[in-house]
Amino acid sequence: MIVKKNRLSLALMMTAVFFLAALIAGCGKKGDPVQSKITAPKAVSDLKGMIVEGGIALGWNMPENSIDAAGFKIYRSELKTGGNGCPGCPREYSLIADLSCSDPKLVRDGEKKTGYLDTGVKTGYLYSYKVITCNSSGYCGGESNIAEIMNR
């Protein structure tokens, strides 16, 4: 009888240990997360700028296959002309606008043509611009070509 009780206790203890081990092994990290197949939008390749009344107008076409484009980051570099400026030196760019495609500051003409008016410019500076397209997931593509405009 005592042997039967010991076997029953041992069997119950072994069952409890088995379930406890299974529970511990089933918790925690299962594996490294797998990145979804979200791709960054293509870069703008035809950025242009021109002086207009009120500032510098930038214009570009939406990159091909950019159906997920949700916005643009616009960067500007300014270099004072006729002084200590160094036109051939590397330029520092600052973010001047981070706009969604529905932002009224972003000018749209049809499905492809897009524009922006930079009103924060001064006379006597060489301005360089670049644009980066971002999608709705927050992934951004490469930099556009650089557009340079002299504001005399």
Side-chain angles (χ1 to χ4, degrees):
M1 190 81 147
I2 294 178
V3 172
K4 205 174 197 181
K5 275 187 175 180
N6 283 343
R7 284 186 183 167
L8 182 60
S9 295
L10 182 62
L12 287 174
M13 191 181 310
M14 293 296 282
T15 304
V17 168
F18 172 76
F19 282 113
L20 184 60
L23 180 67
I24 290 172
C27 294
K29 185 176 173 183
K30 302 289 186 214
D32 290 333
V34 177
Q35 182 176 356
S36 63
K37 297 194 184 230
I38 297 172
T39 57
K42 293 189 180 196
V44 169
S45 61
D46 63 346
L47 178 63
K48 294 179 177 85
M50 63 186 284
I51 298 171
V52 296
E53 186 176 325
I56 294 177
L58 300 175
W60 63 92
N61 287 310
M62 292 286 282
E64 290 296 319
N65 300 324
S66 58
I67 55 173
D68 192 28
F72 299 94
K73 294 179 186 249
I74 303 170
Y75 292 86
R76 176 182 70 198
S77 173
E78 60 182 27
L79 178 67
K80 185 155 179 67
T81 59
N84 296 333
C86 178
C89 293
R91 307 287 293 271
E92 286 189 35
Y93 287 84
S94 300
L95 180 66
I96 60 167
D98 188 355
L99 308 170
S100 71
C101 284
S102 61
D103 194 303
K105 294 178 186 172
L106 202 59
V107 179
R108 300 296 301 268
D109 183 11
E111 288 184 27
K112 291 282 186 190
K113 294 185 186 281
T114 309
Y116 174 77
L117 179 62
D118 182 7
T119 58
V121 297
K122 303 173 267 192
T123 304
Y125 282 81
L126 172 65
Y127 288 96
S128 295
Y129 295 91
K130 57 187 174 183
V131 173
I132 297 175
T133 308
C134 300
N135 65 21
S136 59
S137 299
Y139 292 98
C140 296
E143 297 176 349
S144 71
N145 62 297
I146 293 177
E148 284 197 331
I149 302 96
M150 174 66 78
N151 192 19
R152 299 175 194 226

